[in-house]
Amino acid sequence: MTVAEYINKDSSDKRFSFEVLPPLKGNGTAALFATIDRLVPFNPAFINITTHHSEFVYNELPGGQFERRRVRRRPGTIAIAAAIQQRYHVPVVPHVICSGTTIEQTEYELLDLQFLGISNLMLLRGDKARDDSRFTPTPGGHAHTTDLIRQVTRFNDGYFADGTPMAHPGQPFDFGVACYPEKHEEAPNLERDMEYLLQKQQLGAQYAVTQLFYDNSKYFDFVSRARQMGITIPIVPGIKPFAKLSQLTVVPKTFHCDIPEELAREIVKCTTDEQARQLGIEWTTAQCRDLYAHGVHNIHFYTVSAVDSVVGVAQRLL
């Protein structure tokens, strides 16, 4: 069963999935597997693995000048995906992104994934470079997720990016995309952003996973508006428990989402990170129960810096 089929499965079960990061360069898999060990007892539908391509760093040289060079801090998404699938027998969904890679490199990623028997993907543009004011595609790479989708669907049809037919096309890929209930930071407005989601559906996306949010009314409104404009694919809510005091200012800035006033008032009453973490578990548990009560069957958890909280929420829900 593909991830899309699982999400579309008619069931009253309360299901969830989660996302993890590959280890930092030079680190082993022990910490990652320890995280997954804590979450697999809750029977996740699938596990997403993020992709982080190279980024620019600046090294100071003698004389006060700086040298700019590319560094990839978290390599190994494909290998980690294969290792997780082999170890846990849970469907894995590696991210394939435009950022930091060329069309040819993406093609080789697809071949490697196909050889490994991994057929579920999350297709994303990826973040802009930290010091750039706007996203700049890698020379020879894609500028938009829609371009990446076209490459993957053409690959599924048995053609390489240069138009050469494959002698033996393999298992085609199924894929999801991202969406933003409070709009992508670079979109001029929510309506235009939703038009891009409709275009992704028309090109073959089978489901969408939202950016994190803390106000369910924004998710429900987003889904309602999506249905009105012809977006019919499942829209899976992406959730991340509030976990520390600093996130009151960091989360809105980093993820471009609002923290509801009711939650903000309770956060400022907290005097320690542990109090904030417990508040986050309580808020997220109520948030998820409300989503389930409104007919949502699949919830996707972002686990970075929030594993303990996600476990706490899952224990209360399942």
Side-chain angles (χ1 to χ4, degrees):
M1 184 179 294
T2 68
V3 165
E5 289 171 340
Y6 196 96
I7 291 172
N8 280 303
K9 184 180 178 182
D10 185 15
S11 172
S12 60
D13 295 342
K14 297 175 180 178
R15 302 186 294 260
F16 83 98
S17 55
F18 62 88
E19 180 176 292
V20 296
L21 291 174
L24 284 167
K25 181 179 179 181
N27 290 0
T29 58
L32 173 61
F33 289 161
T35 292
I36 298 173
D37 286 342
R38 298 180 64 194
L39 291 166
V40 291
F42 301 105
N43 298 315
F46 57 91
I47 302 172
N48 274 24
I49 303 98
T50 66
T51 293
H52 298 260
H53 281 298
S54 56
E55 59 185 86
F56 287 114
V57 297
Y58 295 86
N59 295 328
E60 187 170 3
L61 301 174
Q65 293 184 325
F66 287 86
E67 175 189 43
R68 175 168 140 162
R69 64 189 183 91
R70 284 190 173 273
V71 172
R72 189 169 185 185
R73 300 182 187 277
R74 294 184 183 273
T77 294
I78 293 175
I80 287 295
I84 292 172
Q85 185 162 274
Q86 181 180 33
R87 183 182 180 98
Y88 297 100
H89 307 290
V90 175
V92 293
V93 186
H95 291 188
V96 175
I97 66 176
C98 304
S99 178
T101 190
T102 66
I103 293 171
E104 183 179 31
Q105 288 168 336
T106 297
E107 187 164 88
Y108 283 116
E109 286 183 28
L110 297 177
L111 288 166
D112 285 343
L113 288 162
Q114 204 171 57
F115 293 154
L116 291 166
I118 296 171
S119 59
N120 293 293
L121 308 176
M122 177 64 69
L123 303 184
L124 307 164
R125 190 200 68 179
D127 296 331
K128 62 182 177 65
R130 187 178 304 171
D131 298 320
D132 289 349
S133 59
R134 60 191 297 273
F135 180 81
T136 303
T138 298
H142 294 305
H144 305 287
T145 306
T146 49
D147 299 324
L148 177 59
I149 291 174
R150 290 186 180 95
Q151 179 178 359
V152 173
T153 54
R154 189 160 175 77
F155 189 96
N156 283 347
D157 290 338
Y159 292 91
F160 292 115
D162 64 0
T164 303
M166 301 176 190
H168 301 285
Q171 173 72 25
F173 292 103
D174 297 283
F175 56 89
V177 294
C179 62
Y180 304 85
E182 298 174 70
K183 93 171 185 65
H184 190 278
E185 62 171 313
E186 298 173 27
N189 52 61
L190 184 58
E191 289 73 19
R192 179 62 62 85
D193 204 22
M194 295 179 75
E195 288 175 6
Y196 296 143
L197 179 58
L198 177 61
Q199 187 177 6
K200 293 173 188 177
Q201 173 185 281
Q202 293 167 339
L203 290 170
Q206 295 162 313
Y207 64 95
V209 179
T210 75
Q211 175 65 284
L212 63 90
F213 60 90
Y214 293 94
D215 185 346
N216 283 1
S217 67
K218 295 190 175 181
Y219 169 78
F220 295 137
D221 181 62
F222 179 81
V223 173
S224 176
R225 294 172 69 172
R227 300 307 181 224
Q228 290 173 14
M229 68 185 301
I231 298 170
T232 58
I233 57 175
I235 299 175
V236 179
I239 301 293
K240 183 174 182 176
F242 189 89
K244 60 177 68 174
L245 291 171
S246 62
Q247 291 177 350
L248 181 61
T249 54
V250 171
V251 166
K253 180 179 179 181
T254 303
F255 299 101
H256 308 282
C257 66
D258 287 341
I259 293 180
E261 179 57 27
E262 181 184 354
L263 176 57
R265 282 199 305 267
E266 295 303 313
I267 292 170
V268 297
K269 295 178 185 177
C270 297
T271 58
T272 66
D273 281 342
E274 178 57 24
Q275 289 177 349
R277 190 179 74 83
Q278 290 299 326
L279 172 62
I281 291 173
E282 293 171 9
W283 181 274
T284 303
T285 299
Q287 192 178 0
C288 291
R289 284 176 175 158
D290 182 50
L291 289 166
Y292 286 139
H294 280 79
V296 172
H297 298 304
N298 302 275
I299 294 177
H300 188 70
F301 286 108
Y302 298 105
T303 68
V304 178
S305 302
V307 177
D308 291 343
S309 298
V310 171
V311 170
V313 172
Q315 288 171 336
R316 288 162 172 77
L317 292 174
L318 305 178

